[in-house]
Amino acid sequence: MQDLQPVAGGITAPRGFVAAGVHAGLKKDKLDLALIVSEVPATAAAVYTRNRVKAAPLLVTAEHLKSGGARAIVANSGNANACTGERGYRDAREMAAVTAAAVGCEPWQVVVASTGVIGVPLPMDKITAGIEAAAAGLAVEGGGDAAAAILTTDTRIKEIAVQLPLGGATVTIAGIAKGSGMIHPNMGTMLCFLTTDVAIEPEDLKQALRTVVDRTFNMVTIDGDTSTNDMAVILANGCADNAPLTIEEHAVFRNGLEYVCRYLARLIARDGEGASKLITVEVHGAATEMAARQVARAVAGSNLVKSAIFGADANWGRIICAAGYSGAEIDPEKIDIYLASRAGREAMTAGGEPLPFSEEKAAAILKEDEITIILDLNQGAAAATAWGCDLTYDYVKINASYRT
């Protein structure tokens, strides 16, 4: 990771990409339609929600990406176009057709995404006008507006771009994401759009994305809910003109992609609905990476752990309990638990048994806005990290009136 250089520009930082974000009228007064376009055909790959109920835009996108390529991504917020029957499919296909006509490509080269309220038909007059306005405003400088236009209950834009040497060239990897509620492993309510100017074979791109998503976005949990529209999509247009990647360089690319997705995953967790604290769960000493992931996700997703963190209560019993029901083969008599933040680090248990600890110091650690829970299983060398947030009163308030 040492050769990674953060750069400005967001989703359009890689060569050959332009974007725009406009107000189409799906929301009262915020940007709500994004368009991202590669100026040349791009290799494409995607990972989708595992919810059996899948929105029409996701199904249309999956059909389109069977080709392994794409030129454009169109995404609206404010309306999920989910559970809208045959009309929903027609509307998603029309979004692709209108986008294709506006940017000069084929409909099957368009990724379609929507996010927002479920069960409401799209106002296609507004969508069409919005796509045409976005196409007219496409620019290298449009990445920030595109990042803003995909947000729902998010409170902040989530974007990043990095450069690294690869295949005799300098390549750029960039991404934007949205996600604040209904977040859980297996791609729960989030959209992530990634761009890169690296030249890479379709199967290699697909494998890299799947591996990285499992280590990043599928390690984020806000509230245990997984929605209907979620996807992570990457376009690689080859404009960096790099030489074919070696096996070692594929690993370098994957590391760069993981850095981008990890950064975005952490932002999603930090921006959880109503959240006041970011929770990072580090699991070390696991027998396998899968076991480490299971434990990390269980602890990060425990409502009792999240509530204790909100109340700055060092109730480590909830942590070891979550580890125990995670499904991983663990030995509770070997587990060490620590709490850490900018305020310090405090050991809670050693070998599964309680340690005398300072309640005052533990409370000070938990009052910080970023807390790390560390579990050493002492069973092997594998590790994993998960991210989540505390559970606050505001989460209930937000979701009690989501449609209004």
Side-chain angles (χ1 to χ4, degrees):
M1 299 282 190
Q2 61 186 12
D3 292 329
L4 287 173
Q5 296 295 324
V7 294
I11 197 70
T12 55
R15 300 172 185 85
F17 286 96
V18 290
V22 300
H23 176 239
L26 284 80
K27 297 178 180 176
K28 183 177 180 179
D29 55 8
K30 295 181 179 179
L31 301 180
D32 53 21
L33 189 137
L35 186 58
I36 303 162
V37 177
S38 173
E39 295 173 338
V40 299
T43 299
V47 177
Y48 309 102
T49 180
R50 294 183 192 174
N51 194 318
R52 293 295 295 272
V53 180
K54 292 179 171 60
L58 187 151
L59 296 175
V60 169
T61 291
E63 292 173 4
H64 289 181
L65 291 190
K66 288 178 181 178
S67 68
R71 276 281 312 280
I73 299 170
V74 60
N76 72 271
S77 59
N79 185 313
N81 190 18
C83 303
T84 46
E86 182 56 35
R87 173 176 172 175
Y89 292 105
R90 291 197 305 269
D91 289 345
R93 288 192 287 266
E94 185 177 348
M95 284 181 68
V98 171
T99 300
V103 305
C105 69
E106 298 296 326
W108 59 263
Q109 292 179 299
V110 179
V111 169
V112 184
S114 299
T115 184
V117 177
I118 292 172
V120 179
L122 283 174
M124 286 307 296
D125 55 339
K126 295 179 179 179
I127 291 286
T128 298
I131 291 172
E132 292 171 349
L138 286 169
V140 172
E141 298 78 19
D145 284 346
I150 64 174
L151 305 182
T152 50
T153 56
D154 307 60
T155 65
R156 66 198 75 186
I157 286 175
K158 303 169 179 69
E159 64 179 351
I160 183 177
V162 298
Q163 289 184 336
L164 64 156
L166 203 61
T170 297
V171 308
T172 307
I173 305 171
I176 60 174
K178 64 81 50 179
S180 188
M182 294 184 78
I183 305 289
H184 198 56
N186 300 332
M187 296 295 297
T189 309
M190 54 156 289
L191 296 176
C192 176
F193 304 126
L194 301 153
T195 58
T196 179
D197 48 20
V198 72
I200 185 171
E201 293 298 317
E203 192 56 39
D204 293 326
L205 184 66
K206 185 185 299 184
Q207 184 58 48
L209 182 64
R210 286 176 177 170
T211 299
V212 165
V213 165
D214 277 344
R215 292 178 175 175
T216 56
F217 297 126
N218 279 343
M219 297 299 290
V220 177
T221 180
I222 301 298
D223 50 17
D225 272 289
T226 301
S227 190
T228 56
N229 292 58
D230 320 310
M231 65 176 83
V233 180
I234 185 167
L235 304 187
N237 65 13
C239 287
D241 292 325
N242 56 280
L245 302 183
T246 65
I247 293 176
E248 292 78 11
E249 287 171 331
H250 277 295
V252 173
F253 171 74
R254 188 170 59 249
N255 286 341
L257 183 62
E258 184 170 339
Y259 180 92
V260 168
C261 292
R262 181 179 290 259
Y263 180 90
L264 293 172
R266 193 173 182 276
L267 287 182
I268 288 172
R270 185 65 185 88
D271 197 26
E273 288 178 343
S276 66
K277 301 173 185 179
L278 170 67
I279 302 171
T280 299
V281 180
E282 296 180 3
V283 175
H284 305 276
T288 66
E289 185 175 352
M290 178 57 70
R293 290 182 191 176
Q294 287 176 295
V295 173
R297 287 194 298 241
V299 174
S302 165
N303 282 337
L304 290 179
V305 171
K306 291 155 66 71
S307 298
I309 298 298
F310 172 61
D313 178 13
N315 190 343
W316 60 265
R318 294 178 174 181
I319 297 170
I320 200 167
C321 178
Y325 65 62
S326 67
E329 292 293 333
I330 63 171
D331 184 345
E333 295 182 359
K334 293 183 177 180
I335 299 177
D336 303 336
I337 298 175
Y338 306 85
L339 299 177
S341 71
R342 287 184 292 267
R345 173 174 167 136
E346 188 79 352
M348 301 284 105
T349 73
E353 296 187 1
L355 292 173
F357 66 90
S358 167
E359 290 282 0
E360 292 76 14
K361 184 176 179 181
I365 289 170
L366 295 176
K367 286 177 181 177
E368 294 289 326
D369 60 3
E370 295 187 9
I371 293 99
T372 301
I373 299 171
I374 304 163
L375 296 93
D376 192 335
L377 304 184
N378 291 302
Q379 289 183 289
T385 302
W387 299 272
C389 61
D390 57 343
L391 182 60
T392 71
Y393 307 124
D394 285 340
Y395 176 85
V396 176
K397 292 178 182 177
I398 291 168
N399 286 284
S401 58
Y402 182 77
R403 295 195 306 155
T404 55

